[in-house]
């Protein structure tokens, strides 16, 4: 009867043991539409003797979640870009922050944050 008592106690402990958490993951889809009145980060001299200046940017967007970054296409020379892109990220922790940057792409220099 001692063995039966130990078996019943072990069975009871096994039933009360917390179950391991199942990992949940989700796909986050972001529809990136457009930007309006963005800051001009590029100044280009044009015209005769470089006396005319145009101000523009080559914007793109980065989204970062949990160390994973996705990037939109670059829209060249546009302060009111339209992307109409769908970007997606995998979510494993709903408490992680989604970080969004609008950047100006520079071919010969580091990209500028807008």
């Amino acid at each position: 009867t001692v063995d039966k008592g130990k078996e019943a106690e072990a069975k009871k402990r096994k039933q009360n043991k917390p179950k391991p958490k199942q990992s949940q993951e989700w796909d986050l889809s972001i529809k990136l539409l457009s930007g309006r009145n963005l800051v001009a980060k590029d100044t280009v001299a044009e015209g005769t003797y470089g006396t005319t200046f145009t101000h523009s940017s080559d914007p793109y967007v980065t989204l970062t979640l949990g160390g994973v970054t996705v990037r939109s296409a670059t829209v060249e020379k546009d302060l009111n870009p339209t992307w109409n892109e769908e970007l997606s990220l995998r979510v494993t922790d709903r408490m992680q922050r989604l970080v969004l940057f609008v950047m100006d792409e520079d071919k010969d220099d580091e990209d500028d944050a807008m």
Side-chain angles (χ1 to χ4, degrees):
T1 59
V2 175
D3 288 336
K4 287 184 182 181
K6 286 183 180 181
E7 284 178 26
E9 190 176 311
K11 188 175 182 181
K12 188 175 181 181
R13 270 185 283 166
K14 190 175 183 181
Q15 288 173 346
N16 292 334
K17 186 177 180 181
K19 294 180 181 177
K21 290 184 180 181
Q22 294 180 355
S23 66
Q24 291 184 331
E25 295 183 354
W26 305 268
D27 289 321
L28 174 63
S29 294
I30 299 110
K31 180 72 173 184
L32 180 62
L33 299 176
S34 61
R36 295 288 174 254
N37 300 319
L38 299 181
V39 176
K41 290 292 194 171
D42 301 329
T43 301
V44 178
E46 295 177 338
T48 307
Y49 306 111
T51 56
T52 304
F53 296 94
T54 59
H55 305 280
S56 68
S57 288
D58 306 311
Y60 67 90
V61 174
T62 63
L63 298 163
T64 303
L65 180 69
V68 177
T69 300
V70 293
R71 177 187 161 148
S72 73
T74 300
V75 179
E76 293 186 12
K77 296 181 174 44
D78 199 338
L79 298 179
N80 297 296
T82 299
W83 287 282
N84 280 328
E85 285 186 47
E86 190 159 324
L87 304 169
S88 62
L89 289 162
R90 195 85 168 140
V91 178
T92 56
D93 180 355
R94 293 182 298 164
M95 299 308 290
Q96 289 176 327
R97 289 185 182 194
L98 175 65
V99 179
L100 179 145
F101 282 106
V102 180
M103 302 292 291
D104 170 49
E105 184 175 81
D106 291 326
K107 302 288 184 208
D108 299 323
D109 205 357
E110 284 191 33
D111 295 352
D112 304 308
M114 299 177 77

